[in-house]
Amino acid sequence: MTSLRVGWYGLGSMGLGMSLNLQKYLQSNNLSPLRYSNRTLSKGDLLRDQGAIPEEKFEDVVLNSDVIFTMISVDDVLIELFNKALVADDSLKGKIFVDTSTIHPDTSEWATSRLSEYGATFIAAPVFGASPVAASGKLIFAVAGPSTAVETIKPLIINVMGRSIIDMGEDVRKSSLLKISGNILVISFMEVIAEAHVFAEVTGIGNQQLEEFIGNMFGPVLESYSKRITTGTYAPPLDTSPGFAAALASKDMKHALSIAASHSTRLPTLEVASARLTAAREYAGECLDSSAIYGTGRMEAGLSFWSENSRQGN
């Protein structure tokens, strides 16, 4: 561990918080500083200020690291990055690639097969938790891959970026499938909470009382989903990044729905949520949280898409 060099690529709302925690851990243990890169390198200025070392390209991060973490929101982008890093010599031999994003099981399987051709190892380690949880280092990791490699990266996760690891064995597809299953729950919870809030408004019950009930009955997690609606963060200011971007939620739902269809089953709640979120994006643009299904629900009930606490248009 003392000589392990660690790299990072992907500095979105999740990746930045995770990588900052990782750099703090490396620095506090007198380990080699984190090497990082990103499509927009300036997003890593906070990392640089904490002692991490910027690299111009993903290939440079790979070259100078033994363990490479990625947090990439789109499967095709991850595939493109890995293909760029693959070279026909021994430069990848023994390296461990750890992807922490939500990708299709087929992409995880492809990465395992492709990297193994060059003597490298792939670990699927998608995370559960929003960006504030990432910043606090309390994410849940669903980890799958070769056991020796998993043991190598555990010290970089527990009490650094995450509070726990769910061991999914060596089949990387299962880790991706668990993450997608978790997102089915997350988005479905948001759908039914949005429906309840629209019902509360049109019947005059009141959002405040409904939210109080949700917190008392179901606890702080579902109450936090409710607050994304009542505080208006479902449609944040145009200069503010949403917590769980609508575009990413739509991508995750597409994965779930296609996998369900391939197994001759349906996800009716997710079908409704997907259609409502698509309608929200068509109406209000891409600066939306996944909870923007609420805005569509409001319009279906004859109300404005925008609430008194959200932004008021584009």
Side-chain angles (χ1 to χ4, degrees), residues 263-314:
H263 288 78
S264 301
T265 190
R266 286 184 57 201
L267 303 168
T269 304
L270 214 64
E271 291 171 4
V272 172
S274 180
R276 283 180 163 169
L277 196 54
T278 296
R281 293 168 65 194
E282 291 172 351
Y283 181 80
E286 294 297 349
C287 186
L288 294 174
D289 185 75
S290 61
S291 53
I293 51 181
Y294 165 71
T296 302
R298 284 175 59 91
M299 288 199 299
E300 290 172 356
L303 305 172
S304 168
F305 181 91
W306 319 102
S307 73
E308 61 180 14
N309 292 324
S310 75
R311 74 167 189 269
Q312 303 296 312
N314 291 324

mmCIF file of all heavy atoms in Angstrom, residues 263-314:
data_model
loop_
_atom_site.group_PDB
_atom_site.id
_atom_site.type_symbol
_atom_site.label_atom_id
_atom_site.label_comp_id
_atom_site.label_asym_id
_atom_site.label_seq_id
_atom_site.Cartn_x
_atom_site.Cartn_y
_atom_site.Cartn_z
ATOM 1 N N HIS A 263 -35.884 -9.716 -19.939
ATOM 2 C CA HIS A 263 -36.241 -10.821 -19.050
ATOM 3 C C HIS A 263 -37.759 -10.989 -18.934
ATOM 4 O O HIS A 263 -38.261 -11.580 -17.976
ATOM 5 C CB HIS A 263 -35.629 -10.608 -17.665
ATOM 6 C CG HIS A 263 -34.138 -10.808 -17.627
ATOM 7 N ND1 HIS A 263 -33.249 -9.846 -18.085
ATOM 8 C CD2 HIS A 263 -33.380 -11.852 -17.207
ATOM 9 C CE1 HIS A 263 -32.018 -10.295 -17.932
ATOM 10 N NE2 HIS A 263 -32.068 -11.508 -17.406
ATOM 11 N N SER A 264 -38.476 -10.449 -19.919
ATOM 12 C CA SER A 264 -39.935 -10.603 -20.016
ATOM 13 C C SER A 264 -40.664 -10.132 -18.766
ATOM 14 O O SER A 264 -41.623 -10.766 -18.303
ATOM 15 C CB SER A 264 -40.296 -12.072 -20.314
ATOM 16 O OG SER A 264 -39.693 -12.497 -21.519
ATOM 17 N N THR A 265 -40.199 -9.029 -18.207
ATOM 18 C CA THR A 265 -40.896 -8.442 -17.072
ATOM 19 C C THR A 265 -41.038 -6.941 -17.290
ATOM 20 O O THR A 265 -40.424 -6.376 -18.189
ATOM 21 C CB THR A 265 -40.153 -8.723 -15.749
ATOM 22 O OG1 THR A 265 -40.971 -8.344 -14.647
ATOM 23 C CG2 THR A 265 -38.830 -7.953 -15.678
ATOM 24 N N ARG A 266 -41.879 -6.301 -16.492
ATOM 25 C CA ARG A 266 -42.145 -4.876 -16.636
ATOM 26 C C ARG A 266 -41.894 -4.151 -15.333
ATOM 27 O O ARG A 266 -41.945 -4.752 -14.239
ATOM 28 C CB ARG A 266 -43.586 -4.646 -17.081
ATOM 29 C CG ARG A 266 -43.877 -4.972 -18.534
ATOM 30 C CD ARG A 266 -45.321 -4.600 -18.854
ATOM 31 N NE ARG A 266 -45.567 -3.182 -18.554
ATOM 32 C CZ ARG A 266 -46.794 -2.677 -18.340
ATOM 33 N NH1 ARG A 266 -47.854 -3.474 -18.375
ATOM 34 N NH2 ARG A 266 -46.946 -1.389 -18.103
ATOM 35 N N LEU A 267 -41.647 -2.859 -15.448
ATOM 36 C CA LEU A 267 -41.474 -1.973 -14.308
ATOM 37 C C LEU A 267 -42.441 -0.807 -14.492
ATOM 38 O O LEU A 267 -42.058 0.295 -14.902
ATOM 39 C CB LEU A 267 -40.027 -1.468 -14.243
ATOM 40 C CG LEU A 267 -38.940 -2.541 -14.171
ATOM 41 C CD1 LEU A 267 -37.566 -1.919 -14.410
ATOM 42 C CD2 LEU A 267 -38.976 -3.266 -12.830
ATOM 43 N N PRO A 268 -43.732 -1.008 -14.198
ATOM 44 C CA PRO A 268 -44.750 0.000 -14.525
ATOM 45 C C PRO A 268 -44.511 1.365 -13.889
ATOM 46 O O PRO A 268 -44.726 2.401 -14.542
ATOM 47 C CB PRO A 268 -46.050 -0.637 -14.006
ATOM 48 C CG PRO A 268 -45.775 -2.110 -14.016
ATOM 49 C CD PRO A 268 -44.339 -2.250 -13.653
ATOM 50 N N THR A 269 -44.087 1.377 -12.623
ATOM 51 C CA THR A 269 -43.831 2.669 -11.977
ATOM 52 C C THR A 269 -42.710 3.410 -12.682
ATOM 53 O O THR A 269 -42.775 4.631 -12.897
ATOM 54 C CB THR A 269 -43.468 2.467 -10.493
ATOM 55 O OG1 THR A 269 -44.509 1.739 -9.847
ATOM 56 C CG2 THR A 269 -43.284 3.804 -9.784
ATOM 57 N N LEU A 270 -41.684 2.671 -13.071
ATOM 58 C CA LEU A 270 -40.564 3.287 -13.771
ATOM 59 C C LEU A 270 -40.976 3.752 -15.169
ATOM 60 O O LEU A 270 -40.473 4.774 -15.663
ATOM 61 C CB LEU A 270 -39.402 2.301 -13.868
ATOM 62 C CG LEU A 270 -37.993 2.918 -13.785
ATOM 63 C CD1 LEU A 270 -37.798 3.562 -12.417
ATOM 64 C CD2 LEU A 270 -36.921 1.870 -14.029
ATOM 65 N N GLU A 271 -41.874 3.045 -15.797
ATOM 66 C CA GLU A 271 -42.363 3.471 -17.108
ATOM 67 C C GLU A 271 -43.036 4.837 -17.013
ATOM 68 O O GLU A 271 -42.811 5.725 -17.848
ATOM 69 C CB GLU A 271 -43.337 2.436 -17.663
ATOM 70 C CG GLU A 271 -42.678 1.109 -18.053
ATOM 71 C CD GLU A 271 -43.704 0.040 -18.385
ATOM 72 O OE1 GLU A 271 -44.916 0.353 -18.393
ATOM 73 O OE2 GLU A 271 -43.297 -1.117 -18.607
ATOM 74 N N VAL A 272 -43.850 5.013 -15.975
ATOM 75 C CA VAL A 272 -44.525 6.303 -15.764
ATOM 76 C C VAL A 272 -43.501 7.388 -15.460
ATOM 77 O O VAL A 272 -43.540 8.484 -16.027
ATOM 78 C CB VAL A 272 -45.556 6.192 -14.624
ATOM 79 C CG1 VAL A 272 -46.116 7.570 -14.276
ATOM 80 C CG2 VAL A 272 -46.676 5.233 -14.996
ATOM 81 N N ALA A 273 -42.569 7.075 -14.551
ATOM 82 C CA ALA A 273 -41.551 8.059 -14.163
ATOM 83 C C ALA A 273 -40.702 8.469 -15.362
ATOM 84 O O ALA A 273 -40.383 9.654 -15.538
ATOM 85 C CB ALA A 273 -40.670 7.490 -13.061
ATOM 86 N N SER A 274 -40.352 7.507 -16.197
ATOM 87 C CA SER A 274 -39.533 7.803 -17.369
ATOM 88 C C SER A 274 -40.264 8.729 -18.332
ATOM 89 O O SER A 274 -39.695 9.711 -18.834
ATOM 90 C CB SER A 274 -39.149 6.502 -18.086
ATOM 91 O OG SER A 274 -38.365 6.766 -19.220
ATOM 92 N N ALA A 275 -41.530 8.442 -18.573
ATOM 93 C CA ALA A 275 -42.316 9.287 -19.477
ATOM 94 C C ALA A 275 -42.473 10.692 -18.903
ATOM 95 O O ALA A 275 -42.362 11.694 -19.635
ATOM 96 C CB ALA A 275 -43.687 8.657 -19.718
ATOM 97 N N ARG A 276 -42.691 10.794 -17.599
ATOM 98 C CA ARG A 276 -42.861 12.112 -16.984
ATOM 99 C C ARG A 276 -41.556 12.908 -16.987
ATOM 100 O O ARG A 276 -41.563 14.126 -17.194
ATOM 101 C CB ARG A 276 -43.392 11.960 -15.557
ATOM 102 C CG ARG A 276 -44.880 11.640 -15.509
ATOM 103 C CD ARG A 276 -45.388 11.502 -14.103
ATOM 104 N NE ARG A 276 -46.845 11.586 -14.074
ATOM 105 C CZ ARG A 276 -47.598 11.287 -13.014
ATOM 106 N NH1 ARG A 276 -47.031 10.862 -11.905
ATOM 107 N NH2 ARG A 276 -48.907 11.403 -13.083
ATOM 108 N N LEU A 277 -40.439 12.221 -16.759
ATOM 109 C CA LEU A 277 -39.175 12.940 -16.757
ATOM 110 C C LEU A 277 -38.789 13.378 -18.171
ATOM 111 O O LEU A 277 -38.237 14.468 -18.364
ATOM 112 C CB LEU A 277 -38.073 12.067 -16.147
ATOM 113 C CG LEU A 277 -36.802 12.814 -15.722
ATOM 114 C CD1 LEU A 277 -37.130 13.963 -14.780
ATOM 115 C CD2 LEU A 277 -35.814 11.862 -15.058
ATOM 116 N N THR A 278 -39.091 12.558 -19.158
ATOM 117 C CA THR A 278 -38.862 12.954 -20.549
ATOM 118 C C THR A 278 -39.677 14.193 -20.887
ATOM 119 O O THR A 278 -39.176 15.141 -21.509
ATOM 120 C CB THR A 278 -39.221 11.802 -21.502
ATOM 121 O OG1 THR A 278 -38.343 10.697 -21.254
ATOM 122 C CG2 THR A 278 -39.084 12.232 -22.952
ATOM 123 N N ALA A 279 -40.932 14.211 -20.462
ATOM 124 C CA ALA A 279 -41.793 15.373 -20.702
ATOM 125 C C ALA A 279 -41.257 16.615 -20.001
ATOM 126 O O ALA A 279 -41.293 17.724 -20.540
ATOM 127 C CB ALA A 279 -43.216 15.074 -20.240
ATOM 128 N N ALA A 280 -40.727 16.428 -18.784
ATOM 129 C CA ALA A 280 -40.162 17.560 -18.042
ATOM 130 C C ALA A 280 -38.956 18.140 -18.775
ATOM 131 O O ALA A 280 -38.812 19.369 -18.896
ATOM 132 C CB ALA A 280 -39.756 17.113 -16.639
ATOM 133 N N ARG A 281 -38.097 17.279 -19.298
ATOM 134 C CA ARG A 281 -36.907 17.745 -20.019
ATOM 135 C C ARG A 281 -37.300 18.469 -21.308
ATOM 136 O O ARG A 281 -36.673 19.468 -21.678
ATOM 137 C CB ARG A 281 -35.994 16.561 -20.313
ATOM 138 C CG ARG A 281 -35.372 15.944 -19.060
ATOM 139 C CD ARG A 281 -34.713 14.605 -19.370
ATOM 140 N NE ARG A 281 -33.572 14.774 -20.265
ATOM 141 C CZ ARG A 281 -32.992 13.766 -20.902
ATOM 142 N NH1 ARG A 281 -33.467 12.536 -20.782
ATOM 143 N NH2 ARG A 281 -31.948 13.996 -21.684
ATOM 144 N N GLU A 282 -38.330 17.983 -21.972
ATOM 145 C CA GLU A 282 -38.789 18.645 -23.197
ATOM 146 C C GLU A 282 -39.370 20.016 -22.896
ATOM 147 O O GLU A 282 -39.217 20.954 -23.677
ATOM 148 C CB GLU A 282 -39.828 17.763 -23.894
ATOM 149 C CG GLU A 282 -39.242 16.482 -24.489
ATOM 150 C CD GLU A 282 -40.313 15.534 -25.004
ATOM 151 O OE1 GLU A 282 -41.517 15.798 -24.735
ATOM 152 O OE2 GLU A 282 -39.963 14.530 -25.647
ATOM 153 N N TYR A 283 -40.007 20.142 -21.746
ATOM 154 C CA TYR A 283 -40.654 21.404 -21.387
ATOM 155 C C TYR A 283 -39.685 22.401 -20.767
ATOM 156 O O TYR A 283 -39.721 23.597 -21.073
ATOM 157 C CB TYR A 283 -41.795 21.134 -20.397
ATOM 158 C CG TYR A 283 -42.543 22.379 -19.976
ATOM 159 C CD1 TYR A 283 -43.516 22.930 -20.797
ATOM 160 C CD2 TYR A 283 -42.268 23.007 -18.754
ATOM 161 C CE1 TYR A 283 -44.198 24.082 -20.414
ATOM 162 C CE2 TYR A 283 -42.937 24.152 -18.362
ATOM 163 C CZ TYR A 283 -43.907 24.686 -19.200
ATOM 164 O OH TYR A 283 -44.582 25.829 -18.831
ATOM 165 N N ALA A 284 -38.813 21.923 -19.885
ATOM 166 C CA ALA A 284 -38.031 22.839 -19.049
ATOM 167 C C ALA A 284 -36.522 22.736 -19.252
ATOM 168 O O ALA A 284 -35.758 23.375 -18.525
ATOM 169 C CB ALA A 284 -38.361 22.590 -17.572
ATOM 170 N N GLY A 285 -36.054 21.944 -20.214
ATOM 171 C CA GLY A 285 -34.623 21.865 -20.476
ATOM 172 C C GLY A 285 -33.909 20.858 -19.605
ATOM 173 O O GLY A 285 -34.533 20.055 -18.905
ATOM 174 N N GLU A 286 -32.581 20.915 -19.619
ATOM 175 C CA GLU A 286 -31.771 19.904 -18.950
ATOM 176 C C GLU A 286 -31.314 20.280 -17.540
ATOM 177 O O GLU A 286 -30.798 19.433 -16.823
ATOM 178 C CB GLU A 286 -30.546 19.564 -19.805
ATOM 179 C CG GLU A 286 -30.888 18.885 -21.122
ATOM 180 C CD GLU A 286 -31.572 17.515 -20.944
ATOM 181 O OE1 GLU A 286 -31.586 16.996 -19.815
ATOM 182 O OE2 GLU A 286 -32.108 17.003 -21.930
ATOM 183 N N CYS A 287 -31.504 21.513 -17.140
ATOM 184 C CA CYS A 287 -31.125 21.888 -15.780
ATOM 185 C C CYS A 287 -32.250 21.511 -14.823
ATOM 186 O O CYS A 287 -32.987 22.354 -14.298
ATOM 187 C CB CYS A 287 -30.814 23.381 -15.688
ATOM 188 S SG CYS A 287 -30.170 23.879 -14.071
ATOM 189 N N LEU A 288 -32.403 20.210 -14.661
ATOM 190 C CA LEU A 288 -33.468 19.647 -13.827
ATOM 191 C C LEU A 288 -32.934 18.494 -13.013
ATOM 192 O O LEU A 288 -32.077 17.737 -13.471
ATOM 193 C CB LEU A 288 -34.622 19.128 -14.695
ATOM 194 C CG LEU A 288 -35.443 20.134 -15.499
ATOM 195 C CD1 LEU A 288 -36.421 19.386 -16.403
ATOM 196 C CD2 LEU A 288 -36.188 21.092 -14.578
ATOM 197 N N ASP A 289 -33.484 18.334 -11.826
ATOM 198 C CA ASP A 289 -33.214 17.167 -10.991
ATOM 199 C C ASP A 289 -34.160 16.041 -11.401
ATOM 200 O O ASP A 289 -35.196 16.290 -12.048
ATOM 201 C CB ASP A 289 -33.437 17.539 -9.525
ATOM 202 C CG ASP A 289 -33.062 16.422 -8.568
ATOM 203 O OD1 ASP A 289 -31.861 16.207 -8.369
ATOM 204 O OD2 ASP A 289 -33.978 15.768 -8.041
ATOM 205 N N SER A 290 -33.816 14.820 -11.035
ATOM 206 C CA SER A 290 -34.701 13.690 -11.344
ATOM 207 C C SER A 290 -36.091 13.873 -10.744
ATOM 208 O O SER A 290 -37.074 13.332 -11.251
ATOM 209 C CB SER A 290 -34.086 12.384 -10.835
ATOM 210 O OG SER A 290 -33.910 12.425 -9.423
ATOM 211 N N SER A 291 -36.189 14.648 -9.675
ATOM 212 C CA SER A 291 -37.480 14.904 -9.040
ATOM 213 C C SER A 291 -38.375 15.809 -9.878
ATOM 214 O O SER A 291 -39.516 16.090 -9.484
ATOM 215 C CB SER A 291 -37.274 15.519 -7.653
ATOM 216 O OG SER A 291 -36.432 16.658 -7.722
ATOM 217 N N ALA A 292 -37.910 16.242 -11.047
ATOM 218 C CA ALA A 292 -38.716 17.084 -11.933
ATOM 219 C C ALA A 292 -39.930 16.352 -12.488
ATOM 220 O O ALA A 292 -40.792 16.973 -13.118
ATOM 221 C CB ALA A 292 -37.863 17.635 -13.071
ATOM 222 N N ILE A 293 -40.032 15.051 -12.235
ATOM 223 C CA ILE A 293 -41.279 14.351 -12.549
ATOM 224 C C ILE A 293 -42.457 15.017 -11.829
ATOM 225 O O ILE A 293 -43.602 14.957 -12.311
ATOM 226 C CB ILE A 293 -41.197 12.852 -12.176
ATOM 227 C CG1 ILE A 293 -40.719 12.653 -10.739
ATOM 228 C CG2 ILE A 293 -40.292 12.112 -13.130
ATOM 229 C CD1 ILE A 293 -40.596 11.207 -10.314
ATOM 230 N N TYR A 294 -42.155 15.655 -10.711
ATOM 231 C CA TYR A 294 -43.175 16.401 -9.971
ATOM 232 C C TYR A 294 -43.728 17.535 -10.821
ATOM 233 O O TYR A 294 -44.942 17.791 -10.825
ATOM 234 C CB TYR A 294 -42.568 16.927 -8.675
ATOM 235 C CG TYR A 294 -43.349 18.001 -7.968
ATOM 236 C CD1 TYR A 294 -44.549 17.712 -7.321
ATOM 237 C CD2 TYR A 294 -42.867 19.314 -7.916
ATOM 238 C CE1 TYR A 294 -45.253 18.704 -6.649
ATOM 239 C CE2 TYR A 294 -43.556 20.310 -7.245
ATOM 240 C CZ TYR A 294 -44.755 20.004 -6.612
ATOM 241 O OH TYR A 294 -45.446 20.979 -5.956
ATOM 242 N N GLY A 295 -42.854 18.236 -11.541
ATOM 243 C CA GLY A 295 -43.315 19.338 -12.389
ATOM 244 C C GLY A 295 -44.279 18.869 -13.451
ATOM 245 O O GLY A 295 -45.295 19.522 -13.734
ATOM 246 N N THR A 296 -43.984 17.703 -14.044
ATOM 247 C CA THR A 296 -44.906 17.133 -15.030
ATOM 248 C C THR A 296 -46.226 16.767 -14.374
ATOM 249 O O THR A 296 -47.309 17.016 -14.938
ATOM 250 C CB THR A 296 -44.283 15.883 -15.686
ATOM 251 O OG1 THR A 296 -43.044 16.253 -16.300
ATOM 252 C CG2 THR A 296 -45.213 15.301 -16.731
ATOM 253 N N GLY A 297 -46.147 16.189 -13.176
ATOM 254 C CA GLY A 297 -47.372 15.853 -12.449
ATOM 255 C C GLY A 297 -48.220 17.076 -12.163
ATOM 256 O O GLY A 297 -49.454 17.031 -12.254
ATOM 257 N N ARG A 298 -47.586 18.177 -11.844
ATOM 258 C CA ARG A 298 -48.315 19.432 -11.619
ATOM 259 C C ARG A 298 -49.051 19.858 -12.892
ATOM 260 O O ARG A 298 -50.231 20.238 -12.845
ATOM 261 C CB ARG A 298 -47.343 20.537 -11.183
ATOM 262 C CG ARG A 298 -46.877 20.442 -9.745
ATOM 263 C CD ARG A 298 -45.829 21.515 -9.433
ATOM 264 N NE ARG A 298 -46.348 22.860 -9.652
ATOM 265 C CZ ARG A 298 -46.955 23.591 -8.711
ATOM 266 N NH1 ARG A 298 -47.144 23.085 -7.497
ATOM 267 N NH2 ARG A 298 -47.389 24.812 -8.983
ATOM 268 N N MET A 299 -48.359 19.811 -14.014
ATOM 269 C CA MET A 299 -48.993 20.227 -15.264
ATOM 270 C C MET A 299 -50.159 19.314 -15.618
ATOM 271 O O MET A 299 -51.195 19.787 -16.112
ATOM 272 C CB MET A 299 -47.968 20.249 -16.396
ATOM 273 C CG MET A 299 -46.979 21.387 -16.301
ATOM 274 S SD MET A 299 -46.138 21.731 -17.872
ATOM 275 C CE MET A 299 -45.304 20.190 -18.158
ATOM 276 N N GLU A 300 -50.013 18.014 -15.376
ATOM 277 C CA GLU A 300 -51.106 17.082 -15.656
ATOM 278 C C GLU A 300 -52.331 17.391 -14.802
ATOM 279 O O GLU A 300 -53.467 17.090 -15.194
ATOM 280 C CB GLU A 300 -50.644 15.650 -15.396
ATOM 281 C CG GLU A 300 -49.613 15.146 -16.412
ATOM 282 C CD GLU A 300 -49.034 13.797 -16.029
ATOM 283 O OE1 GLU A 300 -49.379 13.283 -14.943
ATOM 284 O OE2 GLU A 300 -48.218 13.255 -16.808
ATOM 285 N N ALA A 301 -52.102 18.031 -13.637
ATOM 286 C CA ALA A 301 -53.204 18.398 -12.743
ATOM 287 C C ALA A 301 -53.710 19.818 -12.993
ATOM 288 O O ALA A 301 -54.530 20.333 -12.221
ATOM 289 C CB ALA A 301 -52.755 18.259 -11.288
ATOM 290 N N GLY A 302 -53.206 20.458 -14.045
ATOM 291 C CA GLY A 302 -53.656 21.802 -14.375
ATOM 292 C C GLY A 302 -52.912 22.905 -13.665
ATOM 293 O O GLY A 302 -53.329 24.072 -13.711
ATOM 294 N N LEU A 303 -51.798 22.579 -12.994
ATOM 295 C CA LEU A 303 -50.985 23.569 -12.304
ATOM 296 C C LEU A 303 -49.790 23.950 -13.180
ATOM 297 O O LEU A 303 -49.514 23.334 -14.197
ATOM 298 C CB LEU A 303 -50.485 23.006 -10.963
ATOM 299 C CG LEU A 303 -51.552 22.482 -9.999
ATOM 300 C CD1 LEU A 303 -50.889 21.790 -8.806
ATOM 301 C CD2 LEU A 303 -52.447 23.621 -9.523
ATOM 302 N N SER A 304 -49.063 24.963 -12.746
ATOM 303 C CA SER A 304 -47.839 25.340 -13.445
ATOM 304 C C SER A 304 -46.748 24.306 -13.171
ATOM 305 O O SER A 304 -46.694 23.716 -12.082
ATOM 306 C CB SER A 304 -47.367 26.720 -12.967
ATOM 307 O OG SER A 304 -46.049 26.989 -13.407
ATOM 308 N N PHE A 305 -45.849 24.100 -14.134
ATOM 309 C CA PHE A 305 -44.695 23.231 -13.913
ATOM 310 C C PHE A 305 -43.860 23.753 -12.751
ATOM 311 O O PHE A 305 -43.287 22.983 -11.976
ATOM 312 C CB PHE A 305 -43.840 23.174 -15.189
ATOM 313 C CG PHE A 305 -42.633 22.285 -15.089
ATOM 314 C CD1 PHE A 305 -42.700 20.951 -15.459
ATOM 315 C CD2 PHE A 305 -41.419 22.785 -14.626
ATOM 316 C CE1 PHE A 305 -41.583 20.127 -15.358
ATOM 317 C CE2 PHE A 305 -40.305 21.970 -14.525
ATOM 318 C CZ PHE A 305 -40.388 20.634 -14.895
ATOM 319 N N TRP A 306 -43.799 25.073 -12.632
ATOM 320 C CA TRP A 306 -42.945 25.715 -11.636
ATOM 321 C C TRP A 306 -43.713 25.916 -10.330
ATOM 322 O O TRP A 306 -44.879 26.312 -10.339
ATOM 323 C CB TRP A 306 -42.454 27.074 -12.146
ATOM 324 C CG TRP A 306 -42.077 27.048 -13.592
ATOM 325 C CD1 TRP A 306 -42.809 27.504 -14.649
ATOM 326 C CD2 TRP A 306 -40.888 26.478 -14.158
ATOM 327 N NE1 TRP A 306 -42.150 27.282 -15.827
ATOM 328 C CE2 TRP A 306 -40.965 26.644 -15.569
ATOM 329 C CE3 TRP A 306 -39.767 25.851 -13.610
ATOM 330 C CZ2 TRP A 306 -39.970 26.217 -16.428
ATOM 331 C CZ3 TRP A 306 -38.772 25.419 -14.471
ATOM 332 C CH2 TRP A 306 -38.880 25.599 -15.851
ATOM 333 N N SER A 307 -43.073 25.663 -9.209
ATOM 334 C CA SER A 307 -43.685 25.939 -7.899
ATOM 335 C C SER A 307 -43.192 27.290 -7.406
ATOM 336 O O SER A 307 -42.273 27.893 -8.014
ATOM 337 C CB SER A 307 -43.317 24.841 -6.891
ATOM 338 O OG SER A 307 -41.951 24.977 -6.498
ATOM 339 N N GLU A 308 -43.698 27.727 -6.282
ATOM 340 C CA GLU A 308 -43.274 29.039 -5.762
ATOM 341 C C GLU A 308 -41.807 29.040 -5.319
ATOM 342 O O GLU A 308 -41.182 30.081 -5.194
ATOM 343 C CB GLU A 308 -44.173 29.457 -4.588
ATOM 344 C CG GLU A 308 -44.137 28.514 -3.393
ATOM 345 C CD GLU A 308 -45.037 28.966 -2.257
ATOM 346 O OE1 GLU A 308 -45.885 29.850 -2.506
ATOM 347 O OE2 GLU A 308 -44.891 28.432 -1.145
ATOM 348 N N ASN A 309 -41.243 27.840 -5.058
ATOM 349 C CA ASN A 309 -39.864 27.760 -4.592
ATOM 350 C C ASN A 309 -38.874 27.369 -5.690
ATOM 351 O O ASN A 309 -37.668 27.386 -5.447
ATOM 352 C CB ASN A 309 -39.758 26.763 -3.428
ATOM 353 C CG ASN A 309 -40.466 27.253 -2.194
ATOM 354 O OD1 ASN A 309 -40.469 28.445 -1.908
ATOM 355 N ND2 ASN A 309 -41.070 26.336 -1.454
ATOM 356 N N SER A 310 -39.367 26.975 -6.849
ATOM 357 C CA SER A 310 -38.457 26.597 -7.943
ATOM 358 C C SER A 310 -38.103 27.832 -8.757
ATOM 359 O O SER A 310 -38.636 28.927 -8.524
ATOM 360 C CB SER A 310 -39.137 25.568 -8.851
ATOM 361 O OG SER A 310 -40.113 26.181 -9.670
ATOM 362 N N ARG A 311 -37.207 27.657 -9.724
ATOM 363 C CA ARG A 311 -37.003 28.749 -10.671
ATOM 364 C C ARG A 311 -38.279 28.916 -11.486
ATOM 365 O O ARG A 311 -39.108 28.009 -11.558
ATOM 366 C CB ARG A 311 -35.783 28.484 -11.563
ATOM 367 C CG ARG A 311 -35.976 27.432 -12.629
ATOM 368 C CD ARG A 311 -34.810 27.487 -13.633
ATOM 369 N NE ARG A 311 -35.057 26.631 -14.778
ATOM 370 C CZ ARG A 311 -34.677 25.359 -14.864
ATOM 371 N NH1 ARG A 311 -34.027 24.790 -13.870
ATOM 372 N NH2 ARG A 311 -34.958 24.666 -15.951
ATOM 373 N N GLN A 312 -38.408 30.043 -12.128
ATOM 374 C CA GLN A 312 -39.644 30.359 -12.847
ATOM 375 C C GLN A 312 -39.387 30.430 -14.365
ATOM 376 O O GLN A 312 -39.446 31.490 -14.966
ATOM 377 C CB GLN A 312 -40.224 31.666 -12.332
ATOM 378 C CG GLN A 312 -40.500 31.675 -10.841
ATOM 379 C CD GLN A 312 -41.566 30.658 -10.435
ATOM 380 O OE1 GLN A 312 -42.632 30.585 -11.049
ATOM 381 N NE2 GLN A 312 -41.270 29.855 -9.430
ATOM 382 N N GLY A 313 -39.056 29.313 -14.954
ATOM 383 C CA GLY A 313 -38.852 29.285 -16.399
ATOM 384 C C GLY A 313 -37.385 29.158 -16.765
ATOM 385 O O GLY A 313 -36.519 28.964 -15.914
ATOM 386 N N ASN A 314 -37.115 29.288 -18.064
ATOM 387 C CA ASN A 314 -35.753 29.110 -18.569
ATOM 388 C C ASN A 314 -35.175 30.406 -19.119
ATOM 389 O O ASN A 314 -34.218 30.370 -19.858
ATOM 390 C CB ASN A 314 -35.758 28.025 -19.646
ATOM 391 C CG ASN A 314 -36.031 26.657 -19.080
ATOM 392 O OD1 ASN A 314 -35.583 26.357 -17.981
ATOM 393 N ND2 ASN A 314 -36.781 25.840 -19.786
#
